[in-house]
């Protein structure tokens, strides 16, 4: 079984890379990709654990690009984690995450639901990335929200009062950087992103695949993206987007998997 979309404590997952890999091995996964948000920090530990369990680890990262002022997640695979341009690019991405978190914290303070943003930032050392889920956790800890979903619904989700847009990279540039680092890109959870109109443009910019199979996409959505993929000459990828045992995706770890023939077709897009 294959799952190409997994998060660890290097970004907003709740399991360490080794704990995640052990769980993956225990439920019968054979090929996995760790795809933390804008960081490669979980990969060395994941690689060692995967070797110990006899799993194949595909080096990955989920990069946040910005299209029309909204986040667009691009999954990069088979990258060289030592590629200097990619490493530098991701460091800039994480710097902007911090700038944005401080801006969100200012808005929360103005809304009378303050959080201690500097201690949240201080916890994210060693290249671990920071995002709105950590702010949501701080809102919960401060008693301003019931849980992460409540924090997003009332304060920090898109179009909510403390939302601050990202100043991120253009998707076309992300595809370029990833390809220069030896990797290929799949557009993450397209049914959540709801930007089908940009798929033809990204396909000509070198996009390799659409993430047709994902734990938040039903069979009709999977079929829709399989059709779009074949229309634009793309492969398909897939995974659970497991972030740990909290949240609705937890139960889908091990059941939202990518068929081997899809993986083979996707991998054949490597340069
Ligand atoms: Zn995440
Ligand atoms: Fe995502
Ligand atoms: Fe993800």
């Amino acid at each position: 079984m294959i799952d190409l979309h997994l998060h660890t404590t290097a970004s907003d997952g709740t399991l360490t890379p080794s704990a995640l890999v052990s769980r993956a091995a225990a439920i019968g996964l054979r090929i996995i990709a760790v795809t933390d948000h804008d960081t490669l920090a979980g990969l060395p530990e994941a690689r060692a654990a995967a070797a110990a369990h006899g799993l194949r680890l595909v080096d990955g990262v989920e990069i946040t690009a910005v299209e029309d002022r909204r986040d667009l997640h691009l999954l990069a695979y088979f990258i060289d984690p030592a590629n200097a341009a990619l490493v530098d690019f991701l460091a800039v991405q994480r710097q902007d995450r911090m700038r944005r978190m401080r801006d969100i914290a200012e808005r929360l303070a103005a809304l009378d639901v303050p959080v201690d943003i500097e201690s949240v930032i201080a916890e994210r050392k060693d290249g671990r990335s920071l995002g709105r889920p950590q702010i949501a956790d701080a809102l919960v800890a401060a008693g301003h929200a019931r849980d992460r979903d409540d924090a997003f619904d009332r304060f920090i989700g898109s179009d909510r009062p403390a939302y601050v847009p990202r100043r991120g990279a253009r998707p076309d540039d992300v595809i370029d950087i990833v390809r220069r680092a030896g990797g290929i890109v799949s557009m993450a959870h397209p049914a959540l992103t709801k930007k089908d109109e940009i798929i033809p443009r990204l396909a000509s910019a070198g996009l390799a695949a659409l993430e047709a199979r994902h734990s938040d996409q039903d069979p009709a959505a999977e079929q829709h993206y399989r059709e779009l993929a074949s229309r634009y000459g793309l492969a398909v990828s897939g995974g659970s987007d497991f972030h740990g045992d909290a949240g609705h995706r937890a139960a889908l770890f091990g059941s939202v998997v990518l068929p081997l023939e899809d993986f083979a077709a996707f991998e054949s897009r490597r340069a």
Side-chain angles (χ1 to χ4, degrees):
M1 293 203 298
I2 302 167
D3 188 334
L4 297 183
H5 194 157
L6 300 166
H7 293 272
T8 77
T9 47
S11 62
D12 56 352
T14 61
L15 298 182
T16 63
S18 11
L20 172 77
V21 172
S22 304
R23 285 277 294 278
I27 64 174
L29 291 168
R30 303 300 300 275
I31 303 175
I32 61 168
V34 166
T35 53
D36 278 307
H37 299 283
D38 290 323
T39 182
L40 309 173
L43 296 181
E45 185 184 320
R47 198 175 303 125
H53 287 280
L55 261 74
R56 177 171 173 202
L57 177 82
V58 173
D59 287 318
V61 56
E62 183 169 14
I63 298 173
T64 304
V66 176
E67 174 76 20
D68 200 15
R69 307 189 82 231
R70 290 285 182 233
D71 292 1
L72 177 84
H73 290 183
L74 294 172
L75 292 157
Y77 295 104
F78 307 108
I79 37 138
D80 170 10
N83 180 274
L86 176 65
V87 166
D88 289 351
F89 167 77
L90 293 173
V92 171
Q93 291 276 101
R94 292 193 298 275
Q95 279 303 321
D96 186 64
R97 283 174 174 269
M98 276 190 222
R99 184 276 313 164
R100 181 179 183 226
M101 294 306 124
R102 290 191 170 101
D103 289 355
I104 290 174
E106 270 180 35
R107 293 193 179 211
L108 290 172
L111 292 165
D112 269 328
V113 287
V115 298
D116 179 3
I117 189 65
E118 292 311 321
S119 73
V120 174
I121 288 175
E123 276 171 32
R124 310 301 293 175
K125 307 184 284 290
D126 306 324
R128 297 164 77 204
S129 64
L130 173 73
R132 284 180 294 164
Q134 283 80 36
I135 301 237
D137 292 347
L139 282 164
V140 173
H144 303 315
R146 276 194 317 279
D147 53 28
R148 275 189 184 183
D149 286 347
D150 185 42
F152 274 83
D153 288 347
R154 290 197 295 139
F155 302 118
I156 60 176
S158 316
D159 303 318
R160 303 313 301 152
Y163 181 78
V164 174
R166 203 183 292 273
R167 291 184 207 133
R170 293 174 58 240
D172 314 65
D173 296 336
V174 170
I175 291 169
D176 206 49
I177 289 163
V178 170
R179 294 176 87 201
R180 288 169 196 270
I184 52 177
V185 174
S186 179
M187 184 176 166
H189 40 67
L192 300 186
T193 303
K194 299 189 182 75
K195 286 199 179 298
D196 288 7
E197 70 280 5
I198 71 166
I199 291 171
R201 186 190 98 212
L202 297 187
S204 6
L207 184 72
L210 301 178
E211 191 181 40
R213 188 167 286 188
H214 181 274
S215 49
D216 290 332
Q217 294 174 184
D218 62 15
E222 175 177 346
Q223 194 48 43
H224 172 69
Y225 288 104
R226 282 186 181 277
E227 282 165 20
L228 284 189
S230 76
R231 185 178 319 160
Y232 296 110
L234 302 171
V236 302
S237 74
S240 63
D241 209 355
F242 179 64
H243 281 69
D245 289 319
H248 67 283
R249 287 173 188 151
L252 298 167
F253 188 35
S255 62
V256 180
V257 292
L258 183 70
L260 182 61
E261 59 268 30
D262 288 323
F263 178 76
F266 178 52
E267 187 176 20
S268 74
R269 304 291 170 120
R270 291 172 75 173

